[in-house]
Amino acid sequence: MTQFLKIIAFSLVIISLFAIYSNLGIPQIKPAPPPSQEAVDVSSMDMGSFIVLGEKLFNGKGTCTLCHNAVGGRAPMLDKLTESIAPRLEDTAYKGTATDIAGYLIESMNEPSVYVVKGFGKLGTNDQESPMPDVRVGSIGFSEAETLAVIAYLQDASGLDITVSIPTDVEEPVPAAEPAAAGAERAKYTSGEEIVAKLGCGACHKIAQFEGALGPDLTHIGSTRDINNLRQSILNPMADITEGFAPMMPPIYGEQLYASELEMLVEYMASLK
Ligand code: HEC
Ligand code: HEC
């Protein structure tokens, strides 16, 4: 019996040591609350709510701020459209068909390569091809109503009159990414592919079905990088910048994934040979 109690006591010591170690020694990864998909009927909205929807899409589902931000400097800012866009329409190099700012914005979002802002083209294409994704497909996947909402938001943010109108004939309600209540649990991701799709890695990388072009092609990344290296490139992207690329990989994914999901993601990448 005393032997038995000794074993119990010993186990408790080990368990509490482990608990202490795991709290102090292992980085605690607490995922940020996930966006919950809430359906919104745009046809019953007023312009104010349509603009708010556009702002949410710009910062959330559209992942626009991953590239269009004041820090990375890898995409033009979109907050002073009269100054930036109006001269582009007059530029003799402009070969698109837009005649006003709203038209130019739609064109930029749907066919980004029609006009590439100088210095912002895809590497090695001499500004002939844009690294900006077509927002209708791939990792962004906007409906027409969502594109129009973002344009209303951008016009409003630049102090312009809103010239787009709210579509009244949309069949599908628009899912708006609302931040979930603090502390809310989300369903765990179940595969590396799902994580790549949900986190929008494909906006910048060629991986799975995505064709992003701002970061390195990851379709064979497992043949040049091992698991530890891949984990590092997610948790601390600034530590080792891949040659020829701008340091613009967002350092946010460590906070958005459970530890087990992070492992799933790096194992998936390691398998891409
Ligand atoms: C992967 C990075 C990336 C993402 C994500 C992205 N963009 Fe861009 N965008 C760019 C780059 C780079 C350019 C400049 C090259 C060009 O002219 O196409 C650009 C250009 C533009 C332009 C033209 C700007 C100008 O001054 O002429 C608009 C408008 C625009 N993006 C809107 C958006 C919106 C809205 C979203 C989100 C739905 C978005 N972008 C998402 C990289 C990105
Ligand atoms: C806004 C654009 C952008 C997004 C979004 C993005 N990355 Fe990156 N990523 C880059 C750039 C640019 C580099 C190269 C510069 C560097 O090493 O930091 C890079 C580097 C990497 C590397 C190292 C590649 C190599 O050649 O060693 C990996 C792995 C990677 N990213 C994975 C991901 C994953 C997984 C996601 C989604 C969870 C993601 N990235 C999202 C831009 C992005």
Side-chain angles (χ1 to χ4, degrees):
M1 192 62 192
T2 43
Q3 186 67 8
F4 180 63
L5 287 177
K6 266 189 205 154
I7 291 173
I8 297 279
F10 181 67
S11 310
L12 286 176
V13 169
I14 295 294
I15 289 168
S16 41
L17 279 179
F18 183 74
I20 292 167
Y21 167 70
S22 58
N23 271 308
L24 301 176
I26 301 176
Q28 295 291 299
I29 298 179
K30 225 192 236 151
S36 70
Q37 295 276 305
E38 189 179 296
V40 177
D41 180 7
V42 294
S43 57
S44 63
M45 273 184 178
D46 61 13
M47 190 48 85
S49 341
F50 197 55
I51 291 170
V52 170
L53 172 66
E55 180 174 13
K56 281 184 188 146
L57 291 164
F58 188 79
N59 293 306
K61 179 181 176 189
T63 63
C64 315
T65 48
L66 282 181
C67 300
H68 294 278
N69 61 61
V71 185
R74 286 308 302 156
M77 290 302 284
L78 300 173
D79 54 352
K80 296 197 182 77
L81 296 179
T82 326
E83 283 165 37
S84 63
I85 308 295
R88 308 218 199 286
L89 293 168
E90 306 293 316
D91 186 343
T92 50
Y94 177 66
K95 298 283 183 283
T97 55
T99 52
D100 57 15
I101 288 179
Y104 180 89
L105 294 175
I106 295 188
E107 197 173 69
S108 301
M109 290 166 73
N110 292 349
E111 300 166 82
S113 291
V114 164
Y115 180 81
V116 181
V117 180
K118 237 187 153 125
F120 288 104
K122 207 190 260 190
L123 276 179
T125 66
N126 196 20
D127 290 341
Q128 293 304 301
E129 271 179 63
S130 174
M132 151 112 188
D134 175 347
V135 303
R136 293 169 298 182
V137 295
S139 60
I140 300 177
F142 271 180
S143 66
E144 208 187 323
E146 289 172 315
T147 298
L148 292 173
V150 168
I151 292 175
Y153 160 65
L154 289 174
Q155 289 186 320
D156 184 61
S158 277
L160 296 170
D161 290 338
I162 313 296
T163 60
V164 293
S165 37
I166 302 173
T168 48
D169 55 348
V170 272
E171 281 159 21
E172 295 284 308
V174 176
E178 297 270 2
E185 290 276 319
R186 68 162 155 77
K188 284 210 171 126
Y189 301 135
T190 55
S191 70
E193 286 96 326
E194 185 191 359
I195 295 171
V196 164
K198 292 264 167 71
L199 297 189
C201 315
C204 296
H205 292 286
K206 190 166 176 345
I207 184 168
Q209 71 270 39
F210 306 111
E211 298 281 342
L214 265 183
D217 180 342
L218 300 180
T219 47
H220 304 290
I221 190 70
S223 51
T224 51
R225 304 262 166 171
D226 66 19
I227 287 216
N228 290 328
N229 204 300
L230 289 167
R231 192 182 302 106
Q232 178 75 3
S233 64
I234 304 292
L235 290 178
N236 189 5
M238 297 304 164
D240 174 16
I241 305 299
T242 308
E243 221 184 302
F245 291 92
M248 62 171 300
M249 162 100 176
I252 54 176
Y253 300 113
E255 287 152 30
Q256 300 186 342
L257 294 170
Y258 290 104
S260 60
E261 293 170 331
L262 176 65
E263 288 316 295
M264 214 183 280
L265 173 63
V266 293
E267 275 163 25
Y268 165 64
M269 288 195 289
S271 75
L272 301 175
K273 301 220 157 135

